[in-house]
Amino acid sequence: MQEKTYVSGYFPDDKDLIVAIKELQEKNVAITDVRTPFPVHGLDTVLKMRRSRLPRAGFIAGVIGCAIGFGFQAWVFTEAWPLNFGGKPFMSVPSFIPVTFELTVLFAAFALVFGFLMRSNLGPGSDNIIFDEEVTNDRFQILLEADGNADSLQESLQSVGALGVQLHEVKS
């Protein structure tokens, strides 16, 4: 098993967190992760994170659900089991809309949920490490991976205003 060392520092406010991230980036300190109790506006742009691909996955799954819903109904009512309802045509598109819409939403929703779980490394079988349980309440945490320079990273975090700086050793 390989052992990794992390340095974490917490901040009481999201504004202090953003300022600290900018200062660490000016010092060329690589930030491994930032954990917050709620979404922080502008954090993704400060960390230079790329745009998520989840909307594309949801759209593609929705198109697949739409095609399956419409195609199945069209096949059933024209080929497999054509029934004449009061002289209406076999291919009655307006009557297909509710089922097609529901399958579109269902496929998109499942794709978004499972895509989010996979992307975030959540769900069954995930091995997430909790460094500070107070992050879920009122702390904002910056996590840095220490490759032999833990002391300098601790000093960097303290210089940008981190209240509690801790060293964590994790076996992976």
Side-chain angles (χ1 to χ4, degrees):
M1 269 191 193
Q2 186 179 6
E3 192 169 292
K4 288 188 177 183
T5 305
Y6 294 96
V7 177
S8 69
Y10 75 88
F11 299 85
D13 191 13
D14 58 338
K15 293 173 184 65
D16 296 335
L17 176 77
I18 297 289
V19 170
I21 290 172
K22 289 178 181 177
E23 289 178 14
L24 287 172
Q25 287 175 339
E26 287 174 3
K27 295 178 182 181
N28 292 326
V29 175
I31 298 172
T32 303
D33 197 7
V34 175
R35 298 179 177 182
T36 63
F38 56 82
V40 177
H41 179 69
L43 184 62
D44 53 345
T45 55
V46 171
L47 290 173
K48 298 176 181 85
M49 296 177 74
R50 62 176 197 219
R51 189 173 166 94
S52 174
R53 291 181 284 189
L54 279 176
R56 282 189 218 144
F59 178 75
I60 291 169
V63 168
I64 291 170
C66 179
I68 288 174
F70 188 83
F72 181 72
Q73 290 178 91
W75 172 74
V76 166
F77 290 115
T78 59
E79 299 293 325
W81 196 264
L83 296 175
N84 189 353
F85 291 105
K88 294 180 185 174
F90 294 129
M91 186 69 167
S92 179
V93 174
S95 66
F96 297 170
I97 290 175
V99 173
T100 303
F101 173 76
E102 292 298 330
L103 281 177
T104 301
V105 171
L106 180 73
F107 275 54
F110 274 117
L112 289 172
V113 167
F114 290 121
F116 176 77
L117 290 175
M118 286 178 11
R119 166 66 182 92
S120 300
N121 195 23
L122 296 172
S126 65
D127 188 26
N128 294 323
I129 302 162
I130 299 173
F131 293 104
D132 187 3
E133 292 183 5
E134 291 297 317
V135 170
T136 58
N137 291 336
D138 59 352
R139 289 187 180 174
F140 300 84
Q141 184 181 48
I142 295 179
L143 193 64
L144 309 173
E145 186 173 349
D147 295 327
N149 57 349
D151 294 332
S152 65
L153 290 177
Q154 286 177 326
E155 290 172 9
S156 296
L157 277 173
Q158 288 172 345
S159 70
V160 296
L163 295 182
V165 178
Q166 298 174 349
L167 189 65
H168 308 278
E169 293 182 3
V170 178
K171 294 179 183 178
S172 58

